[in-house]
Amino acid sequence: MKKSTRPADIYLRFLQLAEALRGLPSLPSLDPLEERILAIIARAGQEQQRLSVRDMMGKKELGSPATLHSRLTAMREKGWIMLSDTEDTRRKQIELTQAALLHFDKLSNCLVQAAKG
């Protein structure tokens, strides 16, 4: 069978490799909304932007503040995120844990591996 070289095949190989990561013992899995929240937190960190709990709960496209608060709490308990103090003790900064950063490293390796074929 001839190997396809369509660009979509790289992405599909990446998805297959990324799915295999979910079976490895590391952090507890996330539901789709939590994955979306994690991506927002990661992008904010990459762009060196501050992201507080209040900022996150203001994102209406993610659901109600109560839903977001419960998801952030769950993600913290699962070990994906941590909250750190700011100058204002009432505001907490959301950051990725080392384990979450390692997860993104693994996903990056999957992307590189998929691109190599």
Side-chain angles (χ1 to χ4, degrees):
M1 183 172 174
K2 185 179 175 190
K3 186 177 179 181
S4 178
T5 57
R6 292 183 2 211
D9 292 330
I10 294 171
Y11 182 69
L12 294 173
R13 278 194 303 270
F14 164 72
L15 289 179
Q16 183 180 20
L17 292 167
E19 185 65 30
L21 280 181
R22 291 189 175 150
L24 298 176
S26 56
L27 292 174
S29 64
L30 299 172
D31 68 31
L33 178 57
E34 291 170 340
E35 287 183 11
R36 196 164 164 209
I37 292 168
L38 190 71
I40 291 169
I41 296 166
R43 280 194 307 272
Q46 184 70 22
E47 296 169 1
Q48 297 181 346
Q49 295 177 348
R50 295 178 62 142
L51 184 66
S52 69
V53 172
R54 178 179 287 184
D55 296 333
M56 186 61 79
M57 291 199 307
K59 295 184 180 295
K60 302 294 183 205
E61 68 275 13
L62 297 176
S64 72
T67 297
L68 283 169
H69 190 271
S70 67
R71 295 300 171 91
L72 291 173
T73 299
M75 292 172 72
R76 189 171 167 215
E77 290 170 356
K78 291 177 182 178
W80 287 96
I81 62 171
M82 60 184 169
L83 302 179
S84 58
D85 291 327
T86 63
E87 306 83 41
D88 181 351
T89 57
R90 296 170 296 173
R91 291 178 65 98
K92 299 291 182 186
Q93 190 75 22
I94 306 171
E95 298 175 356
L96 298 176
T97 63
Q98 279 301 117
L101 292 169
L102 287 172
H103 173 74
F104 281 113
D105 288 345
K106 291 175 186 174
L107 284 176
S108 177
N109 290 337
C110 288
L111 187 58
V112 170
Q113 187 177 348
K116 288 180 181 177

